[in-house]
Amino acid sequence: MPVYQPWCHGNLTRSKAEDLLSKAARDGSFLIRDSESIQGAYALCVLYQNCVYTYRILPNEDKKLSVQASEGVPIRFFSMLPELVEAYYSPNMGLITHLQYPIQREEDVDEEPESNNLPPQLPPRNFPANDFKDSDPKSPEQSCKSLSDTYLMRLQHMDMSTIPEEQQVAIQEYFRTSIFLDAEQLQNGNPNLPGLKKLTMAICKNVNSEIYRILPSLEVFHRVLDQQLSPGIGQFPKQISADSGQSVSFRLEQLTKLIYSIEDKAKNAVFDSVGYEGSHRKSLIPLVTFEVKQESLGISTKMFLKVDVESGKIYFKKSKDGPEDKYYVHNKILQLVKSQKMHAKLVIVVETEKEKILRREFVFDDTKKREGFCQLLQLMKNKHSEKPEPDMITVFVGTWNMGNAGPPHNISTWFQCKGQGKTRDDTADHIPHDFYVIGTQEDPLGEREWADTVKGVLRNITNISFKQVAIHTLWNIRIIVLAKPEHENRISHIFSDSVKTGIANTLGNKGAVGVSFMFNGTSFGFVNSHLTSGSEKKLRRNQNYINILRFLNLGDKKLNPFDITHRFTHLFWLGDLNYRVEFPSTEAEYIVTKIKQQQYQELLSKDQLSMERSDGKVFLHFDEEEITFAPTYRFERDTREKYAYTKAKATGTKYNLPSWCDRVLRKSYPLVHVVCQAYGCTNDIMTSDHSPVFASFEVGVASQFVSKQDLNSAPQGGIQFMNCVATLLTKSKTKFCIEYHSSCLEKTVKTSEGENTEHLDGSIKVWFGNQVQLTPIISDPEYLLDQHILICVKSTDCDESYGEGCVALRAAQFCYTEFHITLTHHGEKTGTLTGGIQLHTSEVKPTEKLYDFIKVEKDDPVTSKGKSSDPNKFSAAQAHDISNPNYMGVSYKSGNVIDRGWSYSMPPKALPVAGQGGKDCKKSGYDVGARSPTGKPLNPAGEDKKVSEMFDNPLYGSMGKSHSRGKDPDLPQKDHLVPPDPMFTASKAADGDPDRPPVPTPRNRSFTCSEKPHPPTPVSPLTSVHKKPVVPSRSEGGMVNNRPPLPAKSRPGPPEPQTTKPRDYRDSSELPSKLRLPARPGQPQPHKDTHPEVPKMGRPVK
């Protein structure tokens, strides 16, 4: 595509194209961009009556171009785009209107190369070819003579006292004469530089002889160690012979590779001979003893808890050296329940020999000790689990801008999460993570050298030789993924890729590298990026992020409509993102003072990344753990006590204010378990002007499922979507359909065209009235509850995506469930999709997950006395929903998270569920209000038993920003849809829209819409006393207190609609007695304006 044409916009996004055309506001305005759906094709975008019409320009087998215009218009073929555009300036060519006003391409402001910032008075260090092509051109002989004189002058200032005399003469002779011969050879097309080769051969004469002498011995040794020895490789390779003509560098490289290979094979052979499989032959996790306090009858008693991970036992001792006769085995330790009010308090629920349930309450020295104890017990449960495959793993994610300097001798604190911020306790030092993902920028080391360095550090910490899953490098940007050896056979579908975002998007000094893989049935993606530097280049960084999203090719290639934010169960984005603290340079000393006082909140409020995320411009629906550590840039090297925030430039002093440039963010599918255990930076690694940043996560995973049911006799299951309505923020004039993608489906399913209704705010509302039935490849509910459906709203003419989202099947575990998801495309919000989902499967007892082992609860006013013979009193510890908040979408407090992009709501329990023969949820044996999302009963004794109030983990933050959706206008407090009757027809669905949520407020962004956004229309809830209250929805915080409904007489009256400001309960000594939202008395009355008849809209695009 010829870039010099003004109307050619290349890889312009669809929304940006709409924005440019809307700003033009003239009928006949047009531009051409690359097609997003077909490689090599183009999209002609034309504005007419404030709507954008898109026509595909397709090449045929002869590379001739044609426009897909209206039917009945003869197809014309053109050799080049300018010829095509010129022809369509004429009217009556099948377009909505003829082309009139080309939209000029916006010029990209390229990042300035670093060398431009160097003072001009410095002497040149290299001699690029264009330096010789100035206004006073020199002949090649003159240029080479100048180069020779320069090198000879430099040589005179070198200390050559340690160099043999003959080698000194050889070097001088090369710069006097041989360099001219090499220049002549280069002009004649010979790039081998024979003079240089002769010099290196002379200097390395002894090295050559040593290579010839030792290589045969090494080769024999290598063949002996090689397990896959072929019968025909007994001869020594001929290319190593003395007269082969190979360069010394090639021989050294061969020698180096051979020695590395020998080392690897020898280590593997020795490890195999002693039965070494990645674990130490002795105890890998040492015995750890915790000093705690136990209160009994108001008297505090000191006790000691000794944890033996290897044997699977926990000892309760009254003195540190006391007898170890009282202990519990791992399978008798039923639950750990953390106190919300007292951050160091923990309840251990155990089963005695007489099958009685015993609750033992202990108070640790501090919260970190309690967390270390919990992590050790969780590791113990996992280590001795009878499950063949894990359902939870831990992932370490680290990022470090090395500043083009090698690492210090000891970098172990980075991998042990020690330093500032949210760190691990010392008792967890030897607990290995399942995966280590390390991203570096400005990395001066080679891949092999860095990989060996990291492996060596981890071997010293954990006694495990980690396996390398992948390593990928773009210039000095690198990512490496290491895994425990035991996971080697669980990892598959490994991909890696890179994207350049440097100068003109062609240089790799800035950009991203990524790795993706499958771990059993869970997909992982990791992106390490180094974005544009400079405090003033925030918009350029935003564009870097969008380009990486669009062009980084990772994950399942079948998910072509989806970018990387939708392709993975868990996506982690790390790196030097280079977003700065937006303060005036005059405030530098003030910033440093605040940092010394550890008062970060004011600085974080001006953090560019947090502000851009709040505005929805980058990292939409990503989460970041709360930052509690000092800015990681820009330090003076070899110290962490002083920030070097000024830098002398030829153009003046440049300020690099202390900033949190190095970050780790994540994005996961809905209703999956993920918890951040650590997020901080080191204090003792000082070779760079950046400090390394670490983060660790506890992540739920799905196993490769093997059904216990007979596939022939098992009933065929189904997934049903219904009542789907999309609100799209677009000005395109087209029709839409929905595509459903998932690895659990037999094939991709596409719906028929929806019915469009345009709104005054510039959005389009699309009704998809027909119910859609999806057929899973496996109908076992245990398998389906771990699956997700990816949804893509597409145009039917250009086959381009207008928004993507994800729905978790676990949301419909018990009965019909409504969903509300935000649609995104290329990292920006493009609309919303609402609807209902229902599963048709057989009943099954849900399997308990490892992450259900640890709970968090608020202290009950009446505390337990310790012993209990009633097993039902254990019900409080079984309440799951808030113990792992991220599993249900209730996030820990994190830095300025806007929303997750999804919410779910349950219908009233008494409502019949469509497609189940009239059975309601209660008849099917499930009680939504009294069960956890994994199916574990919240109160087995019945609804009259009180369930303890459960909250999130105090170490990770408060529930004050639960769901983190307060700022998102598209996730409202929703009314519930009534599940449709099985015979409900498409025509009925189109009769009206009484039960839809209010139309979301218009988007607030810089794309697409030319009119000013209208303010949201307030909707006053209409209440009716005769309607039954409904269970609070998941999106309304209903999961915070999953209590049984109150008796009818004690139910509160209709509350006044009001917006409450979220509170941070960590700063409160007392917690509110009720955190859940009151039950609403009924549904709002249906709006009188039923669904209007959809006008017929001309479709010029066919």
Side-chain angles (χ1 to χ4, degrees):
M1 185 166 163
V3 297
Y4 54 85
Q5 295 293 345
W7 34 257
C8 291
H9 289 250
N11 281 316
L12 188 71
T13 63
R14 176 187 52 75
S15 60
K16 184 64 176 176
E18 292 183 9
D19 178 46
L20 293 176
L21 290 168
S22 298
K23 288 179 180 178
R26 291 197 296 180
D27 290 352
S29 299
F30 73 95
L31 60 82
I32 293 179
R33 58 175 174 83
D34 292 349
S35 171
E36 294 183 356
S37 58
I38 300 178
Q39 189 173 3
Y42 307 110
L44 171 60
C45 304
V46 184
L47 183 69
Y48 182 68
Q49 293 184 357
N50 205 31
C51 290
V52 176
Y53 293 78
T54 303
Y55 305 88
R56 280 196 292 191
I57 302 176
L58 303 175
N60 61 9
E61 296 177 355
D62 300 327
K63 303 295 178 66
K64 299 285 187 180
L65 302 173
S66 63
V67 178
Q68 285 188 327
S70 298
E71 292 182 358
V73 177
I75 298 178
R76 296 183 57 182
F77 293 93
F78 305 90
S79 300
M80 300 181 67
L81 276 176
E83 180 186 353
L84 181 149
V85 171
E86 186 66 29
Y88 281 86
Y89 270 103
S90 303
N92 302 322
M93 292 290 290
L95 305 183
I96 187 66
T97 184
H98 61 284
L99 306 184
Q100 299 180 63
Y101 311 108
I103 301 298
Q104 298 290 325
R105 178 172 184 164
E106 292 184 335
E107 295 297 329
D108 292 331
V109 180
D110 289 332
E111 179 185 1
E112 295 180 357
E114 297 292 336
S115 58
N116 287 358
N117 296 327
L118 295 175
Q121 66 269 22
L122 291 179
R125 298 190 178 186
N126 49 35
F127 299 87
N130 57 2
D131 284 357
F132 304 127
K133 299 178 182 179
D134 49 23
S135 57
D136 184 18
K138 299 178 181 179
S139 65
E141 291 79 15
Q142 291 175 317
S143 301
C144 197
K145 181 71 170 76
S146 175
L147 190 62
S148 173
D149 292 342
T150 301
Y151 285 135
L152 286 172
M153 184 176 63
R154 290 182 182 178
L155 194 61
Q156 291 176 2
H157 293 85
M158 298 288 179
D159 181 13
M160 302 177 67
S161 58
T162 59
I163 300 178
E165 184 176 353
E166 66 270 19
Q167 294 186 7
Q168 294 183 29
V169 173
I171 294 173
Q172 292 171 353
E173 185 62 23
Y174 175 76
F175 287 132
R176 285 197 186 99
T177 59
S178 300
I179 193 171
F180 295 99
L181 298 176
D182 282 350
E184 183 179 351
Q185 289 286 329
L186 190 61
Q187 290 175 358
N188 295 331
N190 181 10
N192 291 328
L193 304 182
L196 179 63
K197 184 176 180 181
K198 182 180 178 180
L199 173 65
T200 55
M201 291 289 287
I203 294 175
C204 301
K205 179 173 59 177
N206 294 334
V207 176
N208 269 311
S209 62
E210 286 297 308
I211 292 176
Y212 300 143
R213 189 174 67 84
I214 65 177
L215 266 179
S217 303
L218 290 173
E219 182 66 22
V220 170
F221 188 34
H222 182 265
R223 291 204 304 270
V224 171
L225 291 171
D226 196 349
Q227 297 180 358
Q228 299 179 348
L229 185 62
S230 301
I233 61 171
Q235 300 297 322
F236 188 73
K238 294 182 179 180
Q239 65 267 25
I240 308 298
S241 61
D243 56 350
S244 62
Q246 297 287 357
S247 66
V248 176
S249 60
F250 176 78
R251 295 193 185 108
L252 288 174
E253 182 184 5
Q254 294 296 105
L255 178 63
T256 304
K257 289 182 178 179
L258 193 58
I259 293 175
Y260 275 139
S261 179
I262 288 172
E263 288 179 356
D264 289 342
K265 292 179 183 297
K267 287 178 182 177
N268 292 336
V270 174
F271 288 166
D272 291 342
S273 67
V274 298
Y276 186 96
E277 296 180 354
S279 301
H280 203 270
R281 283 174 290 168
K282 297 181 180 179
S283 175
L284 176 61
I285 308 297
L287 300 175
V288 182
T289 301
F290 295 84
E291 181 178 331
V292 296
K293 294 180 180 178
Q294 183 181 26
E295 288 192 2
S296 178
L297 301 175
I299 301 175
S300 180
T301 307
K302 182 187 295 186
M303 286 195 66
F304 295 88
L305 303 180
K306 184 177 179 181
V307 181
D308 187 348
V309 173
E310 300 301 320
S311 66
K313 296 178 181 178
I314 176 174
Y315 297 88
F316 289 24
K317 302 166 60 176
K318 293 185 178 180
S319 63
K320 193 169 186 179
D321 301 323
E324 298 181 349
D325 53 346
K326 191 170 185 179
Y327 65 86
Y328 291 94
V329 187
H330 61 89
N331 57 357
K332 298 296 184 181
I333 306 170
L334 305 181
Q335 196 85 75
L336 301 182
V337 185
K338 299 176 183 178
S339 167
Q340 172 76 14
K341 185 177 180 181
M342 297 179 61
H343 292 180
K345 180 181 173 183
L346 182 71
V347 175
I348 304 177
V349 183
V350 295
E351 182 181 344
T352 64
E353 295 178 357
K354 298 181 180 180
E355 297 185 354
K356 293 183 178 180
I357 304 302
L358 187 66
R359 291 172 54 94
R360 303 289 298 271
E361 295 185 2
F362 301 99
V363 178
F364 288 75
D365 290 341
D366 53 47
T367 308
K368 288 180 66 174
K369 290 294 181 188
R370 186 186 74 173
E371 292 304 309
F373 177 84
C374 292
Q375 290 176 21
L376 285 171
L377 259 67
Q378 201 160 35
L379 177 65
M380 177 198 297
K381 296 285 283 188
N382 194 21
K383 189 179 185 69
H384 298 279
S385 172
E386 298 178 355
K387 296 180 181 179
E389 296 294 331
D391 54 35
M392 190 196 76
I393 60 174
T394 60
V395 179
F396 172 91
V397 179
T399 176
W400 183 25
N401 185 319
M402 300 176 68
N404 291 310
H409 177 68
N410 186 5
I411 56 174
S412 59
T413 54
W414 188 20
F415 302 101
Q416 291 176 318
C417 299
K418 288 186 174 180
Q420 298 183 33
K422 182 178 176 180
T423 58
R424 300 176 83 188
D425 186 62
D426 293 342
T427 56
D429 281 353
H430 298 281
I431 300 180
H433 295 286
D434 295 276
F435 285 93
Y436 287 84
V437 182
I438 299 98
T440 52
Q441 310 84 39
E442 298 182 18
D443 186 341
L445 305 184
E447 283 189 351
R448 182 61 188 249
E449 185 181 3
W450 178 239
D452 287 345
T453 299
V454 174
K455 289 179 183 177
V457 173
L458 293 179
R459 190 181 297 114
N460 292 335
I461 297 173
T462 66
N463 285 342
I464 296 177
S465 292
F466 279 79
K467 297 291 185 180
Q468 182 174 304
V469 176
I471 187 169
H472 196 87
T473 304
L474 172 68
W475 288 31
N476 295 108
I477 308 171
R478 176 174 297 138
I479 187 170
I480 181 172
V481 180
L482 304 174
K484 281 183 178 178
E486 64 202 59
H487 296 322
E488 194 169 7
N489 295 328
R490 298 175 175 132
I491 301 170
S492 63
H493 300 81
I494 303 170
F495 297 101
S496 63
D497 194 26
S498 61
V499 172
K500 300 173 182 177
T501 64
I503 301 172
N505 288 331
T506 58
L507 297 186
N509 62 317
K510 297 293 189 290
V513 291
V515 170
S516 66
F517 57 87
M518 293 290 297
F519 180 85
N520 284 341
T522 302
S523 56
F524 283 88
F526 299 92
V527 180
N528 171 32
S529 63
H530 192 187
L531 306 186
T532 298
S533 61
S535 178
E536 72 283 357
K537 295 181 180 177
K538 175 176 63 178
L539 298 181
R540 175 76 179 177
R541 283 188 282 276
N542 293 355
Q543 189 59 48
N544 290 165
Y545 166 76
I546 297 298
N547 289 342
I548 295 168
L549 272 192
R550 295 184 63 191
F551 303 120
L552 196 62
N553 192 11
L554 297 174
D556 188 353
K557 301 303 184 286
K558 296 178 182 178
L559 300 177
N560 187 49
F562 303 88
D563 59 42
I564 57 174
T565 62
H566 287 103
R567 290 192 178 189
F568 306 107
T569 312
H570 303 284
L571 173 64
F572 296 88
W573 196 302
L574 55 141
D576 180 2
L577 306 185
N578 254 323
Y579 286 93
R580 308 302 173 91
V581 173
E582 211 161 71
F583 273 84
S585 57
T586 55
E587 299 289 332
E589 285 298 331
Y590 174 76
I591 293 174
V592 172
T593 302
K594 285 291 184 181
I595 294 172
K596 290 180 179 179
Q597 297 172 350
Q598 297 185 11
Q599 296 178 5
Y600 305 136
Q601 288 306 313
E602 183 180 353
L603 307 183
L604 286 168
S605 67
K606 296 294 184 180
D607 172 59
Q608 289 179 341
L609 178 57
S610 299
M611 292 190 292
E612 295 300 286
R613 290 179 60 211
S614 296
D615 293 339
K617 295 179 180 178
V618 292
F619 293 101
L620 189 63
H621 304 147
F622 276 76
D623 285 337
E624 183 184 22
E625 185 67 10
E626 183 180 11
I627 293 177
T628 56
F629 51 93
T632 57
Y633 176 81
R634 179 178 184 252
F635 288 101
E636 282 194 4
R637 297 178 189 245
D638 300 322
T639 180
R640 297 295 93 157
E641 301 299 325
K642 186 176 180 181
Y643 285 95
Y645 53 80
T646 59
K647 190 174 184 181
K649 295 287 184 180
T651 55
T653 302
K654 180 181 179 181
Y655 283 83
N656 286 302
L657 298 180
S659 300
W660 288 275
C661 293
D662 311 283
R663 311 287 273 268
V664 177
L665 300 97
R666 64 166 181 83
K667 183 178 186 292
S668 299
Y669 281 169
L671 303 189
V672 295
H673 176 79
V674 55
V675 172
C676 182
Q677 294 179 326
Y679 190 36
C681 68
T682 62
N683 286 328
D684 57 347
I685 301 176
M686 301 177 287
T687 53
S688 170
D689 50 3
H690 292 252
S691 287
V693 168
F694 54 78
S696 65
F697 300 90
E698 181 183 287
V699 176
V701 293
S703 61
Q704 291 283 14
F705 186 77
V706 178
S707 180
K708 301 175 184 178
Q709 302 178 354
D710 185 358
L711 296 180
N712 297 323
S713 61
Q716 180 63 52
I719 306 165
Q720 192 172 18
F721 281 84
M722 57 198 79
N723 299 338
C724 288
V725 178
T727 303
L728 303 177
L729 310 178
T730 180
K731 303 181 77 67
S732 291
K733 199 79 168 180
T734 183
K735 290 286 188 177
F736 301 95
C737 65
I738 295 180
E739 280 188 358
Y740 298 93
H741 298 251
S742 179
S743 59
C744 74
L745 300 180
E746 294 178 346
K747 59 181 180 180
T748 300
V749 177
K750 180 184 290 188
T751 67
S752 56
E753 287 185 354
E755 298 182 40
N756 295 8
T757 299
E758 296 183 13
H759 287 255
L760 295 177
D761 60 4
S763 65
I764 297 177
K765 201 165 189 178
V766 188
W767 275 264
F768 301 94
N770 294 332
Q771 298 182 14
V772 178
Q773 187 76 23
L774 309 180
T775 303
I777 55 176
I778 299 176
S779 300
D780 194 309
E782 190 174 348
Y783 164 79
L784 285 180
L785 293 181
D786 285 331
Q787 305 305 311
H788 295 78
I789 304 294
L790 294 177
I791 296 177
C792 177
V793 179
K794 277 188 170 184
S795 63
T796 56
D797 46 20
C798 291
D799 200 40
E800 290 186 335
S801 173
Y802 279 69
E804 304 98 50
C806 179
V807 174
L809 296 187
R810 185 175 294 277
Q813 176 175 1
F814 303 113
C815 54
Y816 172 88
T817 301
E818 299 167 23
F819 63 85
H820 185 288
I821 60 176
T822 300
L823 298 175
T824 64
H825 184 61
H826 293 329
E828 62 178 348
K829 183 176 174 180
T830 58
T832 60
L833 180 71
T834 60
I837 182 174
Q838 183 177 339
L839 288 181
H840 300 276
T841 62
S842 58
E843 295 182 16
V844 67
K845 182 180 179 181
T847 304
E848 183 177 354
K849 306 289 187 180
L850 177 62
Y851 42 79
D852 292 332
F853 175 59
I854 299 178
K855 309 299 176 188
V856 184
E857 72 171 347
K858 176 187 173 183
D859 295 272
D860 195 72
V862 182
T863 57
S864 173
K865 297 297 182 183
K867 295 185 177 181
S868 172
S869 60
D870 184 3
N872 290 330
K873 290 187 178 180
F874 176 49
S875 61
Q878 286 182 320
H880 166 83
D881 53 343
I882 302 306
S883 61
N884 286 311
N886 278 19
Y887 178 76
M888 287 311 301
V890 182
S891 67
Y892 301 133
K893 182 178 179 181
S894 53
N896 293 324
V897 177
I898 302 173
D899 70 277
R900 290 181 175 273
W902 51 266
S903 64
Y904 300 100
S905 57
M906 294 291 190
K909 292 184 291 182
L911 288 178
V913 179
Q916 290 190 350
K919 293 183 179 181
D920 58 17
C921 298
K922 192 171 183 179
K923 291 181 181 179
S924 65
Y926 294 108
D927 188 340
V928 178
R931 284 184 175 263
S932 76
T934 53
K936 297 173 64 181
L938 302 186
N939 194 346
E943 293 191 358
D944 56 330
K945 296 284 186 181
K946 179 179 179 180
V947 179
S948 298
E949 295 179 349
M950 308 290 283
F951 296 89
D952 65 334
N953 191 329
L955 181 66
Y956 304 138
S958 75
M959 294 282 297
K961 293 184 180 179
S962 66
H963 295 273
S964 303
R965 300 192 186 99
K967 294 184 181 180
D968 187 6
D970 293 307
L971 295 173
Q973 300 289 322
K974 293 188 338 89
D975 302 319
H976 298 289
L977 295 176
V978 177
D981 186 82
M983 302 304 294
F984 189 74
T985 61
S987 61
K988 285 187 178 181
D991 287 340
D993 189 32
D995 50 359
R996 307 312 304 176
V999 178
T1001 56
R1003 58 189 155 179
N1004 182 15
R1005 60 171 187 169
S1006 59
F1007 301 123
T1008 300
C1009 192
S1010 58
E1011 301 94 89
K1012 295 182 179 178
H1014 297 278
T1017 305
V1019 180
S1020 22
L1022 302 176
T1023 58
S1024 175
V1025 295
H1026 67 276
K1027 291 203 173 183
K1028 297 181 181 179
V1030 295
V1031 178
S1033 69
R1034 301 189 187 199
S1035 60
E1036 297 165 334
M1039 288 301 158
V1040 175
N1041 284 324
N1042 229 338
R1043 298 178 173 179
L1046 297 173
K1049 292 184 179 180
S1050 61
R1051 287 174 182 156
E1056 291 294 327
Q1058 57 183 357
T1059 303
T1060 58
K1061 183 178 180 181
R1063 292 180 57 194
D1064 190 344
Y1065 293 115
R1066 294 178 304 169
D1067 300 329
S1068 304
S1069 58
E1070 292 293 329
L1071 294 172
S1073 59
K1074 293 183 179 180
L1075 187 61
R1076 60 171 181 157
L1077 294 178
R1080 290 176 292 151
Q1083 305 278 11
Q1085 295 291 340
H1087 296 290
K1088 297 299 181 183
D1089 53 331
T1090 57
H1091 178 198
E1093 183 179 350
V1094 180
K1096 293 184 179 180
M1097 301 170 62
R1099 292 187 56 218
V1101 184
K1102 297 294 181 183

